[in-house]
Short mmCIF file of all heavy atoms in Angstrom, two decimals:
data_model
loop_
_atom_site.label_atom_id
_atom_site.label_comp_id
_atom_site.label_asym_id
_atom_site.label_seq_id
_atom_site.Cartn_x
_atom_site.Cartn_y
_atom_site.Cartn_z
N LEU A 326 47.43 -9.04 23.02
CA LEU A 326 46.04 -9.46 23.03
C LEU A 326 45.78 -10.55 22.03
O LEU A 326 46.45 -10.58 20.98
CB LEU A 326 45.09 -8.26 22.71
CG LEU A 326 45.14 -7.09 23.69
CD1 LEU A 326 44.23 -6.00 23.25
CD2 LEU A 326 44.78 -7.54 25.09
N ASP A 327 44.78 -11.40 22.33
CA ASP A 327 44.44 -12.47 21.42
C ASP A 327 43.50 -11.90 20.38
O ASP A 327 42.28 -11.91 20.52
CB ASP A 327 43.78 -13.62 22.16
CG ASP A 327 43.59 -14.84 21.24
OD1 ASP A 327 43.80 -14.69 20.06
OD2 ASP A 327 43.24 -15.91 21.80
N VAL A 328 44.06 -11.33 19.29
CA VAL A 328 43.24 -10.66 18.28
C VAL A 328 42.34 -11.63 17.58
O VAL A 328 41.24 -11.26 17.14
CB VAL A 328 44.15 -9.92 17.28
CG1 VAL A 328 43.36 -9.21 16.24
CG2 VAL A 328 45.08 -8.96 18.02
N ALA A 329 42.73 -12.86 17.45
CA ALA A 329 41.87 -13.84 16.79
C ALA A 329 40.55 -14.00 17.49
O ALA A 329 39.48 -14.10 16.88
CB ALA A 329 42.60 -15.19 16.72
N VAL A 330 40.58 -14.03 18.84
CA VAL A 330 39.35 -14.16 19.61
C VAL A 330 38.44 -12.93 19.38
O VAL A 330 37.24 -13.05 19.21
CB VAL A 330 39.64 -14.33 21.11
CG1 VAL A 330 38.35 -14.34 21.93
CG2 VAL A 330 40.43 -15.60 21.35
N ILE A 331 39.08 -11.78 19.41
CA ILE A 331 38.33 -10.53 19.20
C ILE A 331 37.73 -10.49 17.77
O ILE A 331 36.57 -10.14 17.59
CB ILE A 331 39.21 -9.31 19.44
CG1 ILE A 331 39.68 -9.31 20.89
CG2 ILE A 331 38.45 -8.02 19.13
CD1 ILE A 331 40.70 -8.24 21.21
N SER A 332 38.50 -10.90 16.77
CA SER A 332 38.02 -10.91 15.41
C SER A 332 36.87 -11.83 15.22
O SER A 332 35.92 -11.59 14.57
CB SER A 332 39.16 -11.26 14.46
OG SER A 332 40.20 -10.38 14.52
N HIS A 333 36.97 -13.03 15.92
CA HIS A 333 35.89 -13.99 15.83
C HIS A 333 34.63 -13.39 16.43
O HIS A 333 33.48 -13.58 15.93
CB HIS A 333 36.26 -15.27 16.59
CG HIS A 333 35.15 -16.28 16.65
ND1 HIS A 333 34.76 -16.99 15.59
CD2 HIS A 333 34.33 -16.58 17.70
CE1 HIS A 333 33.70 -17.74 15.88
NE2 HIS A 333 33.46 -17.58 17.19
N THR A 334 34.78 -12.67 17.52
CA THR A 334 33.58 -12.02 18.15
C THR A 334 33.00 -10.96 17.22
O THR A 334 31.78 -10.89 17.08
CB THR A 334 33.97 -11.36 19.48
OG1 THR A 334 34.60 -12.33 20.30
CG2 THR A 334 32.77 -10.78 20.17
N LEU A 335 33.86 -10.20 16.59
CA LEU A 335 33.37 -9.17 15.67
C LEU A 335 32.67 -9.76 14.46
O LEU A 335 31.80 -9.16 13.85
CB LEU A 335 34.51 -8.24 15.20
CG LEU A 335 35.05 -7.33 16.27
CD1 LEU A 335 36.27 -6.57 15.73
CD2 LEU A 335 33.96 -6.30 16.71
N HIS A 336 33.15 -11.00 14.06
CA HIS A 336 32.53 -11.64 12.90
C HIS A 336 31.07 -12.00 13.15
O HIS A 336 30.32 -12.20 12.21
CB HIS A 336 33.29 -12.89 12.50
CG HIS A 336 34.42 -12.61 11.58
ND1 HIS A 336 35.50 -11.90 11.93
CD2 HIS A 336 34.60 -12.96 10.28
CE1 HIS A 336 36.39 -11.82 10.90
NE2 HIS A 336 35.81 -12.44 9.88
N THR A 337 30.69 -12.05 14.43
CA THR A 337 29.26 -12.30 14.65
C THR A 337 28.40 -11.15 14.20
O THR A 337 27.16 -11.29 14.05
CB THR A 337 29.03 -12.51 16.21
OG1 THR A 337 29.44 -11.36 16.92
CG2 THR A 337 29.78 -13.72 16.68
N LEU A 338 29.00 -9.97 13.97
CA LEU A 338 28.20 -8.85 13.43
C LEU A 338 27.63 -9.20 12.11
O LEU A 338 26.54 -8.81 11.75
CB LEU A 338 29.13 -7.60 13.34
CG LEU A 338 28.48 -6.32 12.83
CD1 LEU A 338 27.34 -5.92 13.76
CD2 LEU A 338 29.46 -5.20 12.71
N SER A 339 28.44 -9.93 11.26
CA SER A 339 27.89 -10.34 9.92
C SER A 339 26.70 -11.25 10.14
O SER A 339 25.75 -11.25 9.35
CB SER A 339 28.97 -10.96 9.09
OG SER A 339 29.42 -12.18 9.74
N ASP A 340 26.77 -12.13 11.15
CA ASP A 340 25.62 -12.99 11.42
C ASP A 340 24.41 -12.19 11.83
O ASP A 340 23.28 -12.51 11.49
CB ASP A 340 25.98 -14.03 12.50
CG ASP A 340 27.11 -14.95 12.06
OD1 ASP A 340 27.22 -15.17 10.82
OD2 ASP A 340 27.82 -15.47 12.94
N VAL A 341 24.64 -11.15 12.64
CA VAL A 341 23.56 -10.29 13.05
C VAL A 341 22.91 -9.61 11.81
O VAL A 341 21.67 -9.59 11.68
CB VAL A 341 24.00 -9.21 14.06
CG1 VAL A 341 22.93 -8.17 14.30
CG2 VAL A 341 24.52 -9.85 15.33
N ILE A 342 23.77 -9.14 10.93
CA ILE A 342 23.24 -8.50 9.73
C ILE A 342 22.47 -9.48 8.87
O ILE A 342 21.35 -9.21 8.36
CB ILE A 342 24.38 -7.88 8.90
CG1 ILE A 342 25.02 -6.74 9.71
CG2 ILE A 342 23.89 -7.35 7.56
CD1 ILE A 342 26.29 -6.15 9.08
N SER A 343 23.03 -10.70 8.68
CA SER A 343 22.34 -11.72 7.92
C SER A 343 21.03 -12.11 8.57
O SER A 343 20.02 -12.34 7.91
CB SER A 343 23.24 -12.98 7.78
OG SER A 343 24.37 -12.66 7.08
N GLY A 344 20.99 -12.15 9.89
CA GLY A 344 19.78 -12.51 10.60
C GLY A 344 18.65 -11.52 10.44
O GLY A 344 17.49 -11.88 10.41
N ILE A 345 19.01 -10.23 10.35
CA ILE A 345 17.96 -9.20 10.19
C ILE A 345 17.72 -8.80 8.77
O ILE A 345 16.86 -8.03 8.50
CB ILE A 345 18.35 -7.96 10.99
CG1 ILE A 345 19.62 -7.32 10.42
CG2 ILE A 345 18.52 -8.29 12.46
CD1 ILE A 345 19.99 -6.03 11.08
#
Side-chain angles (χ1 to χ4, degrees):
L326 297 179
D327 190 351
V328 180
V330 175
I331 298 173
S332 298
H333 176 73
T334 305
L335 288 175
H336 272 66
T337 60
L338 181 60
S339 63
D340 296 333
V341 172
I342 295 174
S343 297
I345 64 176

